[in-house]
Amino acid sequence: LLPILLHQFIYRKANPTTLPTFLLIGPSGGGKTALLTLTERNTVLPTHTSTVPLAIEALLPEGYTPNSAHYRSAGDPAYERARRFLLLDTPGHGKLRHFATTQLVNPTNVRGIIFVVDAASVAEEAGLNEAAEYLHDVLLALQKRYTGAKTSKGPKEIQVLIAANKMDLFTALPPHLVKIELEKAISEVRKSRAKGLKDSGVALAGEDDSLDEEREWLGEGGEGSFEFAQMEEVGTSVTVKGGNVTGGGVDVKSWFEWIAEQL
Ligand code: GDP
């Protein structure tokens, strides 16, 4: 009970409706908790629990400038305010993934998604496929959110950072290969999902079967391969950057730079 109370307390305290929020998503073991713990060092409200999603209110570390405060100087109240953000951890366990999906459907000032992936595990088929399936579903949820928006302007953009973690391991794929491998694997996921939809007859139940298929198809139509660049059409840019949270040393510079750009 205590973790739940604490969790609610922090939610209220941190006021997620006003602070820019970043979701930590990704397969279990990728390094989300480790990254959260590291970020906690700059945190206003530290806490700890592993079974419920965990929000921390963090400060952009010294040396990074929030994009919205480029023309202000450190110490200026507006500058200091712009450094604040929420980091929301979501359990990577399959059954708990609905937490992440709920956040996507009903975002409370979600500015970006940090998809943490073990760059060594995606060098192998099982790890790659698990990450690709998860990422496919996240991107499809973002696409649906955009295409289903009521306003002509579309909803507020949500950017995606693929944090290719564990670069300290010599088996880790470099970021550009993580990108290529994930794009290839997601192409396969969307092909098999489309086939599954057809086989199950879901798409044929209504008259609008082609429309249903289209809605479930990530990125551009056609038989070509999926590329992250296709997400630009639905207001999401996907960036892959390498780093490591533990191991030989810490290198999270490119990730904090990315967060700074979204603030
Ligand atoms: P989560 O399931 O995504 O929250 O992953 P965790 O944060 O629990 O990390 C899973 C394991 O990977 C832990 O044993 C971490 O110590 C380890 N880990 C996290 N980041 C790194 C990293 O950058 N390099 C290495 N070598 N191990 C890491």
Side-chain angles (χ1 to χ4, degrees):
L1 182 65
L2 185 63
I4 294 170
L5 286 178
L6 204 62
H7 169 242
Q8 287 178 344
F9 170 73
I10 282 156
Y11 260 99
R12 216 168 302 142
K13 234 1 216 179
N15 199 355
T17 52
T18 54
L19 280 186
T21 300
F22 297 88
L23 302 181
L24 283 175
I25 297 185
S28 168
K32 294 181 297 300
T33 311
L35 178 57
L36 196 82
T37 308
L38 180 86
T39 314
E40 257 180 349
R41 291 181 201 161
N42 271 300
T43 284
V44 184
L45 282 165
T47 181
H48 227 281
T49 163
S50 56
T51 49
V52 287
L54 168 64
I56 60 159
E57 186 180 330
L59 274 183
L60 193 63
E62 304 277 335
Y64 301 89
T65 309
N67 195 29
S68 63
H70 261 294
Y71 300 102
R72 300 181 183 273
S73 43
D76 179 333
Y79 182 95
E80 297 307 322
R81 252 197 318 277
R83 289 174 62 202
R84 295 168 63 198
F85 64 94
L86 282 187
L87 199 56
L88 183 64
D89 193 14
T90 59
H93 191 277
K95 281 181 187 157
L96 297 174
R97 277 180 196 175
H98 68 269
F99 279 125
T101 322
T102 309
Q103 285 295 324
L104 288 178
V105 172
N106 187 16
T108 48
N109 207 9
V110 174
R111 199 63 66 82
I113 288 173
I114 303 174
F115 188 90
V116 183
V117 68
D118 178 339
S121 91
V122 296
E124 286 164 22
E125 203 179 324
L128 177 63
N129 288 340
E130 190 194 1
E133 279 179 25
Y134 199 163
L135 187 54
H136 170 277
D137 294 353
V138 169
L139 295 179
L140 188 60
L142 286 177
Q143 176 177 303
K144 285 181 180 174
R145 173 182 171 270
Y146 187 91
T147 54
K150 302 280 182 288
T151 64
S152 57
K153 265 183 71 193
K156 240 181 160 187
E157 296 181 352
I158 296 181
Q159 313 302 356
V160 176
L161 169 69
I162 297 172
N165 191 26
K166 308 197 187 182
M167 283 299 150
D168 56 295
L169 300 178
F170 81 100
T171 48
L173 288 184
H176 72 279
L177 288 184
V178 170
K179 174 174 182 279
I180 290 169
E181 290 302 318
L182 279 174
E183 285 178 333
K184 270 198 276 188
I186 288 175
S187 302
E188 291 306 312
V189 172
R190 82 175 173 173
K191 230 188 272 171
S192 67
R193 289 284 164 85
K195 188 174 179 303
L197 207 62
K198 257 206 192 97
D199 291 352
S200 73
V202 169
L204 301 173
E207 280 174 33
D208 268 347
D209 50 307
S210 60
L211 206 67
D212 274 356
E213 274 173 46
E214 224 168 79
R215 255 187 234 130
E216 297 299 325
W217 184 262
L218 179 68
E220 282 160 15
E223 294 298 299
S225 36
F226 173 77
E227 288 169 21
F228 289 130
Q230 293 170 12
M231 294 302 294
E232 305 272 351
E233 298 251 339
V234 292
T236 292
S237 71
V238 183
T239 314
V240 186
K241 293 200 181 293
N244 60 279
V245 186
T246 65
V250 176
D251 178 13
V252 290
K253 192 166 178 282
S254 65
W255 302 343
F256 276 121
E257 276 168 1
W258 181 87
I259 290 175
E261 275 170 35
Q262 319 304 323
L263 287 177

